[in-house]
Amino acid sequence: TIDKPHMIVNGVAEEIDPGRGTVPIITSGRTMVPIRAIVEAMGGTVGWDGGESKITLNARGNQVEMWLNRNEIRANGSMGRMDVAPVSIGGRTFVPLRFSTDNLDARAEWINSTREVVIIF
């Protein structure tokens, strides 16, 4: 849920960014999230390469690579573009949720009335 520090995973509330109070936000019409807890809830892993400012998501047999402040995305080796680049806010990396989930064989559904995203995987 936008501006809320918790997510529900299979009926259990968890902090999105434990101990930090980080919340999903909307930037340029896109939901941006600190992605680690979401990918880990899917059974995946998140990597960070500080030298390249690269985020690597591995889940469900897929690999997604994104770079801070760049619109490029590499999904399973194929390059593409996003309309919103990952950013660092308060020392936390936020990525566009839909591009991340779509490329990890998951589906993100926006519920406007509650300002929340349901991820189905």
Side-chain angles (χ1 to χ4, degrees):
T1 304
I2 301 301
D3 298 326
K4 304 278 182 179
H6 292 86
M7 63 182 186
I8 307 295
V9 179
N10 298 321
V12 179
E14 299 178 16
E15 281 187 87
I16 294 170
D17 195 13
R20 294 184 176 91
T22 309
V23 299
I25 59 173
I26 295 178
T27 300
S28 299
R30 294 289 182 200
T31 301
M32 304 289 284
V33 296
I35 195 71
R36 181 175 299 279
I38 295 168
V39 170
E40 289 175 352
M42 295 170 65
T45 61
V46 176
W48 168 252
D49 179 336
E52 289 189 61
S53 297
K54 180 173 78 170
I55 306 107
T56 303
L57 313 177
N58 290 289
R60 306 177 49 78
N62 298 285
Q63 183 177 70
V64 176
E65 298 166 289
M66 296 177 266
W67 295 263
L68 279 183
N69 305 311
R70 290 178 41 192
N71 291 72
E72 291 89 9
I73 184 170
R74 184 169 30 223
N76 298 318
S78 296
M79 292 300 292
R81 292 192 59 77
M82 302 177 288
D83 53 358
V84 176
V87 295
S88 179
I89 300 171
R92 309 310 296 159
T93 300
F94 285 75
V95 302
L97 181 60
R98 182 162 310 274
F99 285 97
S100 303
T101 56
D102 284 355
N103 286 291
L104 295 173
D105 288 335
R107 189 173 76 236
E109 296 184 2
W110 173 252
I111 302 171
N112 197 47
S113 61
T114 56
R115 295 176 39 106
E116 65 186 338
V117 176
V118 176
I119 301 168
I120 300 161
F121 59 92

